[in-house]
Amino acid sequence: MTRIRHQSLDCSPGCAVEATLQLIDGKWKGVILYHLLQGTLRFNAIRKRLPNITQRMLTTQLRELERDGFVLRTVYPEVPPKVEYSLTPRGRTLEPVILALKAWGDEHTEFRHGREACADHDEILTSAAKRTK
Amino acid sequence: MTRIRHQSLDCSPGCAVEATLQLIDGKWKGVILYHLLQGTLRFNAIRKRLPNITQRMLTTQLRELERDGFVLRTVYPEVPPKVEYSLTPRGRTLEPVILALKAWGDEHTEFRHGREACADHDEILTSAAKRTK
DNA sequence: GCCCATAGTGTCGGAAATGATACCGTTATG
DNA sequence: CATAACGGTATCATTTCCGACACTATGGGC
């Protein structure tokens, strides 16, 4: 694991733009950060908000966000496991960026929200259990 | 060509974030947009600002930006060819986003700028000519 | 003993993004 | 006739990302 994206940064002022993009790029990081802006969430809580993400992907993205210092991972020594994710102070500095992305998206894109796509959150989460048969 | 990234948008409010990211994602789009914010540029002018991009990549990214309505491509019927790229009004609506990305990058990342990395712009641009031998 | 919930990991394969390299077309110029 | 300038294409290989799917660990409740 531990992907390193676009290894080398180019020079010139534009670099800062790329540098930031590299950190929040990754198919799900933007949304994850967005949801964490609204508060601490447990693993499965995030999963419910991202109906199409696989468990592996969620783990990967969260680990990368943690590695980059944006997210704090807190494991409670309980059974069944309880793991909470929250933004670090550094993570919170991304707020303006995330909000800018969101604002633009809200204004300039139409996408079917709700219904067809959202319908089956829980279904997904429970299907694992069913398959255990 | 004509890559379609992350085809389907998920539902929920976070979507807007992803939707925007999908459009400006692509290893070079962010920087390209940033440079175009500062004015119209010719193909090779952009190339000089992005020392490590290949010609193919620059073309590809510009075409995608054009397709998404962010960039206007103006071809002058001259020889040798002259092609100018500029932001459309829609492209300019991305300004706050790009600037937010830049601002964050400037504040929160250190990267060697100048020197080593920048040194050889023209070298790159002239090497093609040399190789023609 | 067996199942349940939660939060993972491991492995594999395909798709997508990017890179390297070489070639193209037009005309003015020497 | 060869060359150079500019802005490309075409082709192929590589790298990276992502999804499907199966498997794991733990301890409480039945």
Side-chain angles (χ1 to χ4, degrees):
Chain A
M1 232 97 304
T2 306
R3 290 70 180 302
I4 293 136
R5 296 158 176 269
H6 318 147
Q7 194 92 263
S8 69
L9 298 178
D10 309 303
C11 61
S12 86
C15 278
V17 178
E18 272 316 305
T20 310
L21 272 177
Q22 285 171 32
L23 292 171
I24 62 176
D25 183 25
K27 181 158 176 183
W28 305 96
K29 289 188 190 171
V31 219
I32 293 176
L33 288 170
Y34 175 74
H35 287 296
L36 287 179
L37 273 179
Q38 303 169 354
T40 297
L41 289 172
R42 293 184 58 172
F43 187 83
N44 274 345
I46 300 177
R47 208 135 99 85
K48 277 194 195 127
R49 285 172 174 69
L50 305 175
N52 296 320
I53 197 172
T54 61
Q55 195 166 36
R56 207 178 85 70
M57 260 298 115
L58 181 52
T59 307
T60 310
Q61 303 279 290
L62 283 169
R63 289 290 146 80
E64 287 185 24
L65 289 171
E66 190 191 5
R67 163 169 60 68
D68 292 334
F70 296 137
V71 159
L72 179 68
R73 178 165 176 270
T74 313
V75 183
Y76 295 85
E78 306 175 0
V79 165
K82 174 177 172 183
V83 181
E84 285 187 343
Y85 292 91
S86 58
L87 291 183
T88 60
R90 174 177 158 93
R92 245 170 259 113
T93 63
L94 281 172
E95 183 159 9
V97 176
I98 304 291
L99 294 184
L101 289 167
K102 168 121 167 47
W104 195 92
D106 282 338
E107 272 196 62
H108 300 272
T109 64
E110 326 73 25
F111 47 96
R112 36 142 226 273
H113 40 85
R115 284 338 78 77
E116 343 83 7
C118 272
D120 33 28
H121 292 191
D122 310 284
E123 193 180 315
I124 287 166
L125 289 177
T126 52
S127 62
K130 287 174 191 165
R131 247 185 288 108
T132 311
K133 290 173 193 175
Chain B
M1 232 101 301
T2 306
R3 289 71 179 302
I4 294 136
R5 295 159 176 269
H6 318 145
Q7 193 94 262
S8 68
L9 298 178
D10 310 302
C11 61
S12 87
C15 277
V17 178
E18 272 315 306
T20 310
L21 272 177
Q22 284 170 33
L23 292 171
I24 63 174
D25 182 25
K27 182 160 176 180
W28 306 95
K29 289 188 190 171
V31 219
I32 293 175
L33 289 170
Y34 175 74
H35 286 296
L36 287 179
L37 273 180
Q38 304 169 353
T40 297
L41 289 172
R42 293 183 59 171
F43 188 84
N44 275 341
I46 301 177
R47 208 135 98 86
K48 278 193 196 129
R49 285 173 174 69
L50 305 175
N52 296 320
I53 197 172
T54 61
Q55 194 166 38
R56 203 180 86 71
M57 261 298 116
L58 181 52
T59 306
T60 309
Q61 303 279 290
L62 283 169
R63 289 290 147 78
E64 287 183 26
L65 290 171
E66 189 191 6
R67 163 169 60 66
D68 292 333
F70 296 137
V71 159
L72 179 67
R73 178 164 176 272
T74 313
V75 183
Y76 295 85
E78 305 175 1
V79 164
K82 173 177 174 183
V83 181
E84 285 188 342
Y85 291 91
S86 58
L87 291 182
T88 60
R90 173 177 159 93
R92 244 170 259 113
T93 64
L94 281 172
E95 183 159 8
V97 176
I98 303 292
L99 294 184
L101 289 167
K102 167 119 167 48
W104 195 93
D106 281 339
E107 271 196 62
H108 300 273
T109 64
E110 326 74 24
F111 47 94
R112 37 138 228 273
H113 41 85
R115 283 341 78 79
E116 344 81 8
C118 273
D120 34 27
H121 290 190
D122 311 284
E123 194 180 315
I124 289 166
L125 289 177
T126 52
S127 63
K130 287 175 191 163
R131 246 186 288 109
T132 310
K133 290 173 192 172

